Structure formats: structure tokens, C-alpha cells
Amino acid sequence: MKRSGIVGKIRQIIAIAIALMAAGRLSATAPDDQSASLEGLRAADVAVGSVLYRLAVANDELCLKRAALTGLVLHSSNDYADSIRAAAIRHFDFESPIGIEGVIPGSPAAVAGIQSDDSLISVGGRPISASTDRADALAMLDAADPRQPLAITVKRHGQLLSVTLRPIEGCVAHVEVDVSDGLNAGTDGETIQVDSALVNLVGGNVQDLAVILSHELSHIVLDHPHRLTAAHVDRGFFRIFGKSGRLIKETENQADRLSVTLMANAGYDPQEAVHYWRTFGPRLNDGGGLGSVHLPWQQRADLIAAAVAAIPADAAKPIVPRWIESRKQPLR
């Protein structure tokens, strides 16, 4: 968990070569580099969104905050830098400020017939206005009652379409790919941001993405961002010293420990988390020494291996570890 706050990204066009095993992969025969990059960005967003959706639904009982999950992957025309905004509007066929960048297969939105490049017009009777941004639209979806049908209006090639979908309850968590050459992921307690270079590093592998996202979702489940703030922890330059360094490292270890349970609940192989750190640890490792808020990668792999071994083989899903009740206590 490296970010104390996440703001809306301004996406620049760079080459995003992602080997994805999902629909919407980047095509080598794309008509131009700009369109190829936009499609690569869409593929990455849908890939990470699909993994988080599966984790959020499967671990609903563990989450402190729950919302109506639709399977919509949203973006705003204002997410894109001025230099490429017109191209993005054309490519994604924006007909309102909020577009449907993608739809997670098998989700309520997919069942209802919503498609990529539809434009969002209203949610539950609440209109999308000229000032609505991505965060506003996500908040509108989060506010829906997961036990009730949700009316959504979209525009497709100039035609208004009204659909009713039946949301699924899950954890309140959103994810986006940050176009960056960093190898980081972080969360502010609600939005998870993953660097595009990290997605590239793992080649879009679903199990590896589950390792990355389950760690960040664990921070949300354990309410770490808010508890660290309440403990007056410094997450700037002085985060490595004294109380701040001790508490941040403690929360990172807890997230590693819980992440494999979240993976198991969602049907991912938790042993892949051990493999991930033994494979990518030397590349990702920050040394575990001065300047680090993590254990060295070898120790992280060992800690995760012990957590995997502690998962009951025959336990009913979802598994809810008793120790997560510590999240109700302040960090000291």
C-alpha cells in the first residue's frame, strides 16, 4: 500500500504491450499506434477489473463496506490528457462524459446487454451531467441497493437504451491502471491503482494479477488506510522511521497474510502468491532495509507460504479468519 491518496489520472498515450488471455487483447494489426495504445489500455483495465470483481464478490462477507457490483468498467473523457482527448472520444465513441470502457464477462451488466463503448446517461434515474466525473459515476453505482433491480440508461450509436440489471453485493473497491513505468500498486482505502508496467511485467497473467489485487484488497478489508491515518502515521519521507515505519510494515505483513485467503475464497490458487514473490521478488524487491516498509522478498515469500499452509483444506467458503477482528482496534 504505497499511496496515501489517489486522484483521477490523466492518461497519456504510451505503448502498452500486454499479453492478455482475455477478450479485447491488443491487436498487432491495429490501424495506428494511437488506437492500439487505447485498446491496450482498455484490455488492461478490463483484465484487472475482472480479477477485482471476482475477489470482491467472493469476499463479500469479509468486507466492512459493501456495494452493488454491476461489472461495468467506467472511464471519463476527462481521464485523458488534452493532447489525446479528442482521439479517445472518437475511439471510445463517447456520447456523454462517462463511457463504458468495458463489461466484465458474466456480470450483471453483461447479462443485461450493456456493451463496451456504450455511454452512460443515467443510473437509477439520476442523470449523468456535463460535470460528472468517473468518481461521481462510481459513487452513483455504489449507492444502489444491491438487493433491488437497477435501471440504467445508455446511449449506443445515438440511440437511447434503457436496461434493468440485478447487481451482486460485494466489497466496495475500484481499480484502475495507471500509465506508468513504475512497478507499484496502492490503495487509498477504496480505489486500487496498479502501474501499467507491473501489468506488463506479469504479462496480464490472471493468477499474478490476483496476487497483486488481493494484497491491496486486504488493506481495504483490514481498513488499514483509515487506521493508519487515525494513528497519525506519516506516509511521506518519514514513513520509514519510528512508529510510522513499524505500523506500516505491520500492515503490509497483515495484507500479505490475508491476501492468500482472499485468493482461495475467489477460487484462485493461493500457492501462486508464493510463486509470484519467488519469481518477481528480485525485480520488485526494495531490499527490506533502510527505506523499505516491506520485508525482503525472500521473507515475504516465506510469510505467505506459512499463511497458505494455515488455510484449512476442507473449510467452507468464504473463509473468514478470526484474527481479522483486530481491524476494529486502533493501530498502536
Side-chain angles (χ1 to χ4, degrees), residues 14-331:
I14 64 172
I16 304 176
I18 303 170
L20 292 174
M21 297 181 65
R25 70 180 61 190
L26 180 60
S27 170
T29 59
D32 55 65
D33 291 342
Q34 198 169 68
S35 291
S37 295
L38 289 168
E39 280 305 309
L41 192 54
R42 186 210 301 270
D45 280 334
V46 173
V48 297
S50 296
V51 173
L52 182 63
Y53 176 84
R54 180 169 161 180
L55 288 165
V57 171
N59 290 287
D60 173 54
E61 291 187 25
L62 283 74
C63 291
L64 292 169
K65 293 182 179 180
R66 302 179 179 92
L69 304 188
T70 63
L72 291 172
V73 180
L74 303 182
H75 60 166
S76 165
S77 56
N78 286 330
D79 287 343
Y80 298 88
D82 291 344
S83 60
I84 62 163
R85 186 169 299 137
I89 290 172
R90 288 193 304 271
H91 183 84
F92 295 118
D93 198 19
F94 277 98
E95 297 185 83
S96 86
I98 305 298
I100 311 298
E101 186 180 16
V103 179
I104 295 170
S107 68
V111 172
I114 298 177
Q115 299 178 8
S116 298
D117 295 340
D118 287 349
S119 293
L120 195 60
I121 302 301
S122 68
V123 176
R126 298 173 61 190
I128 299 296
S129 71
S131 62
T132 301
D133 61 18
R134 180 174 178 271
D136 296 331
L138 290 172
M140 292 166 70
L141 292 172
D142 287 346
D145 187 340
R147 298 161 297 183
Q148 299 294 328
L150 177 62
I152 288 181
T153 300
V154 299
K155 183 176 283 190
R156 182 183 304 162
H157 306 311
Q159 300 296 315
L160 289 176
L161 300 171
S162 295
V163 300
T164 300
L165 55 81
R166 297 186 177 277
I168 298 176
E169 187 173 64
C171 306
V172 175
H174 307 291
V175 65
E176 61 187 19
V177 175
D178 183 26
V179 178
S180 167
D181 59 3
L183 294 173
N184 298 313
T187 182
D188 60 359
E190 187 167 311
T191 298
I192 297 169
Q193 203 168 45
V194 184
D195 288 341
S196 58
L198 183 57
V199 179
N200 289 342
L201 179 67
V202 303
N205 180 279
V206 170
Q207 293 284 349
D208 290 334
L209 291 177
V211 174
I212 297 165
L213 293 170
S214 64
H215 177 90
E216 300 305 331
L217 183 59
S218 292
H219 283 307
I220 295 174
V221 170
L222 295 167
D223 202 26
H224 283 155
H226 299 115
R227 292 166 66 206
L228 286 169
T229 297
H232 305 291
V233 165
D234 190 310
R235 280 171 273 184
F237 176 79
F238 294 102
R239 72 187 186 283
I240 64 175
F241 299 110
K243 173 184 173 183
S244 293
R246 175 177 57 81
L247 289 181
I248 293 175
K249 184 168 287 189
E250 178 184 325
T251 61
E252 293 298 336
N253 293 345
Q254 288 179 355
D256 279 343
R257 183 182 173 193
L258 181 60
S259 66
V260 292
T261 296
L262 302 191
M263 289 181 67
N265 285 341
Y268 295 110
D269 181 0
Q271 192 65 40
E272 288 294 322
V274 181
H275 180 263
Y276 174 90
W277 279 105
R278 290 179 177 164
T279 301
F280 298 111
R283 176 79 178 271
L284 300 173
N285 187 41
D286 54 13
L290 183 64
S292 173
V293 292
H294 298 93
L295 294 173
W297 69 265
Q298 301 96 327
Q299 292 182 31
R300 289 189 79 171
D302 291 343
L303 183 155
I304 290 168
V308 172
I311 297 174
D314 56 352
K317 303 292 194 305
I319 302 165
V320 183
R322 293 182 180 179
W323 66 267
I324 71 168
E325 290 303 308
S326 64
R327 65 188 174 181
K328 298 178 181 178
Q329 303 299 320
L331 294 167

